[in-house]
Amino acid sequence: EVQLVESGGGLVQPGGSLRLSCVGSGFTFSATHMKWVRQAPGEGLEWVAGIFARGLAPDYADSVKGRFTISKDNTKNTLYLQMDNLKPEDSGIYFCARGFGPDAGGQRGQGTQVTVSS
């Protein structure tokens, strides 16, 4: 059974940082492209970033480019999203999913809530 478990969300002030994690199981993590997607309140899913199976050639949505960094540790079956200089518009539920993107579809975990507010 494929499982994706996200963690690391929370409440942070504008300009702050958070690091999200996603542990994958039930599939060959090291052979799987991965992505982060998010959903703001009342909005649809938005692709945020993707990375190839071996942890190379990440790509980002324009809205987060230069502020977010996606990475992948295949020895720990873990996907990360380092988020710096957070803005209120980054608030939402963040999910990891299989696949690179830029579509936001695919099986997701339960998500982790990120709230950027002063």
Side-chain angles (χ1 to χ4, degrees):
E1 177 189 4
V2 172
Q3 287 195 327
L4 298 164
V5 180
E6 302 93 339
S7 62
L11 172 64
V12 63
Q13 292 186 343
S17 297
L18 283 174
R19 189 193 195 201
L20 307 184
S21 299
C22 164
V23 178
S25 61
F27 62 101
T28 306
F29 188 85
S30 61
T32 303
H33 308 329
M34 295 292 295
K35 62 189 173 186
W36 287 97
V37 301
R38 67 186 180 187
Q39 187 168 27
E43 302 291 331
L45 285 170
E46 175 191 16
W47 175 78
V48 174
I51 192 165
F52 286 110
R54 294 189 177 183
L56 302 175
D59 198 13
Y60 302 91
D62 288 343
S63 58
V64 307
K65 200 168 290 184
R67 300 187 297 119
F68 289 11
T69 303
I70 186 172
S71 61
K72 194 172 185 276
D73 187 339
N74 288 333
T75 67
K76 298 180 179 179
N77 281 12
T78 303
L79 179 73
Y80 301 100
L81 186 68
Q82 176 68 40
M83 305 188 295
D84 298 316
N85 191 20
L86 281 160
K87 303 176 180 180
E89 53 263 42
D90 294 319
S91 297
I93 303 175
Y94 282 70
F95 305 89
C96 64
R98 295 192 291 174
F100 185 91
D103 68 285
Q107 181 179 1
R108 305 181 296 276
Q110 84 290 345
T112 186
Q113 177 73 48
V114 171
T115 303
V116 185
S117 175
S118 55

